[in-house]
């Protein structure tokens, strides 16, 4: 009510905000992730969000394997186009605000490259995203366990 979200849009806002809640740490990143989600939905791209897959499988995101991406769970956004059927977390006010006021940008991809700090890089094309993922892999190699 306080955010002015019409009743018929509340479920969608909460679903998007739950994804943002699980994917971003800072308010700045959350607003960019919200925009990237909108950009992907607008292009009818799959969202490819690990947090949703992990929720659907009942396991931590750090425990996901490539085989998990074959799951027929409705929360598997590697196979399902669009949003999951329900929120995957209880979003905070910061995530709801991010969904209602995303940062304008053309991002399609994001990846946390430091899992301790949550430092996240954004990209608008797959080549740049793949380079960012390599930075995550380097961080993971330097920080096992």
């Amino acid at each position: 009510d306080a955010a002015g979200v019409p009743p018929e849009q509340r479920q969608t806002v909460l679903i998007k905000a739950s994804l943002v809640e699980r994917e971003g740490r800072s308010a700045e990143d959350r607003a960019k992730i919200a925009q990237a989600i909108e950009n992907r939905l607008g292009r009818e791209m799959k969202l490819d969000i690990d947090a949703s897959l992990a929720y659907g499988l009942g396991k931590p995101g750090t425990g996901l394997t490539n085989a998990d991406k074959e799951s027929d769970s409705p929360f598997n956004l590697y196979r399902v186009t669009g949003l999951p059927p329900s929120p995957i977390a209880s979003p905070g006010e910061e995530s709801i605000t991010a969904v209602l006021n995303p940062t304008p940008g053309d991002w399609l991809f994001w990846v946390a490259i430091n899992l301790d700090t949550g430092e996240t890089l954004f990209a608008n094309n797959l080549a740049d995203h793949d380079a960012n993922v390599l930075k995550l892999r380097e961080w993971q190699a330097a920080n096992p366990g």
Side-chain angles (χ1 to χ4, degrees), residues 77-125:
L77 301 183
Y78 288 93
R79 296 189 73 168
V80 174
T81 301
L83 296 170
S86 69
I88 65 165
S90 180
E93 190 172 326
E94 198 171 83
S95 294
I96 293 169
T97 298
V99 168
L100 297 175
N101 301 291
T103 300
D106 61 354
W107 309 287
L108 295 171
F109 305 97
W110 67 91
V111 61
I113 61 164
N114 181 318
L115 301 181
D116 287 338
T117 65
E119 179 184 356
T120 301
L121 296 179
F122 295 83
N124 62 10
N125 64 73

Side-chain angles (χ1 to χ4, degrees), residues 16-38 89-104 107 110 118 120 122:
K16 290 176 183 177
S18 75
L19 296 171
V20 169
E21 182 76 21
R22 286 290 180 240
E23 289 289 303
R25 284 200 194 171
S26 72
E28 180 182 347
D29 286 348
R30 286 180 173 155
K32 287 181 177 180
I33 291 167
Q35 182 62 58
I37 288 171
E38 289 303 321
S90 180
E93 190 172 326
E94 198 171 83
S95 294
I96 293 169
T97 298
V99 168
L100 297 175
N101 301 291
T103 300
W107 309 287
W110 67 91
T120 301
F122 295 83

